[in-house]
Amino acid sequence: MRLEYFQMIDRVAALEGEAIVVESTIPEASPVFEGHFPGYPLMPGVLLVETMAQASGWLLLKLMAFERMPFLMGVKEAKFRSFIGPGTPVTVHAQRLHDGSGYAVTKARIEAGGKRICDAELTLRIMDFPAPELAAAMRARGQELGLA
């Protein structure tokens, strides 16, 4: 996980049907933790949502054969159940619930040490890639993660 580059996913652990499991480790050090919070570093909730959105996005990219790009458009029912800090390995599960009319809905959750940390229902808009550079970068990163 590289917080400063918004690379929240380290590797794909499993992909089956319309569900994905990815793994990441919260970095030991990041400027994010200098302000959130001094002396008590915690992964910000907004970055946990971003991690679930990225897991959902990688799932959708793979299901669409990297032909179109998903963009986060909505977060529903987000619940945070616990805190996690630097060095924590996490597992992220995402499953497609619905796809149609240019949108997809996923359900995602993050777990650490067998405990549920957070979960949410996410809506992603499915669009053509707005730039060929983005399409190429996503395919290249997908290969690094083991998707392409």
Side-chain angles (χ1 to χ4, degrees):
M1 184 178 284
R2 296 176 65 200
L3 298 182
E4 293 77 25
Y5 296 95
F6 272 71
Q7 291 181 346
M8 311 308 278
I9 307 302
D10 292 339
R11 68 195 139 279
V12 173
L15 179 67
E16 189 173 312
E18 296 197 347
I20 194 170
V21 178
V22 301
E23 297 172 336
S24 288
T25 299
I26 309 303
E28 288 289 342
S30 170
V32 168
F33 299 130
E34 292 172 19
H36 201 273
F37 295 99
Y40 188 63
L42 294 176
M43 180 71 161
V46 69
L47 293 181
L48 294 172
V49 171
E50 176 67 20
T51 303
M52 291 186 289
Q54 286 190 19
S56 296
W58 288 115
L59 169 65
L60 296 171
L61 276 163
K62 180 64 175 174
L63 293 175
M64 296 181 298
F66 287 80
E67 296 292 324
R68 302 189 78 207
M69 180 73 187
F71 291 92
L72 180 63
M73 297 298 285
V75 179
K76 243 174 118 175
E77 307 279 332
K79 293 186 178 96
F80 300 93
R81 302 168 191 288
S82 190
F83 304 113
I84 53 175
T88 305
V90 297
T91 304
V92 188
H93 301 259
Q95 177 180 355
R96 181 167 64 179
L97 300 177
H98 171 75
D99 188 8
S101 301
Y103 291 88
V105 177
T106 65
K107 184 174 185 173
R109 73 181 184 275
I110 296 178
E111 298 174 349
K115 282 181 41 181
R116 186 174 293 208
I117 303 301
C118 59
D119 52 70
E121 184 176 292
L122 307 168
T123 301
L124 296 99
R125 184 169 178 197
I126 309 302
M127 300 173 53
D128 291 335
F129 280 99
E133 297 85 1
L134 177 57
M138 296 307 290
R139 287 184 186 100
R141 182 74 178 135
Q143 283 184 326
E144 291 173 13
L145 295 174
L147 278 178

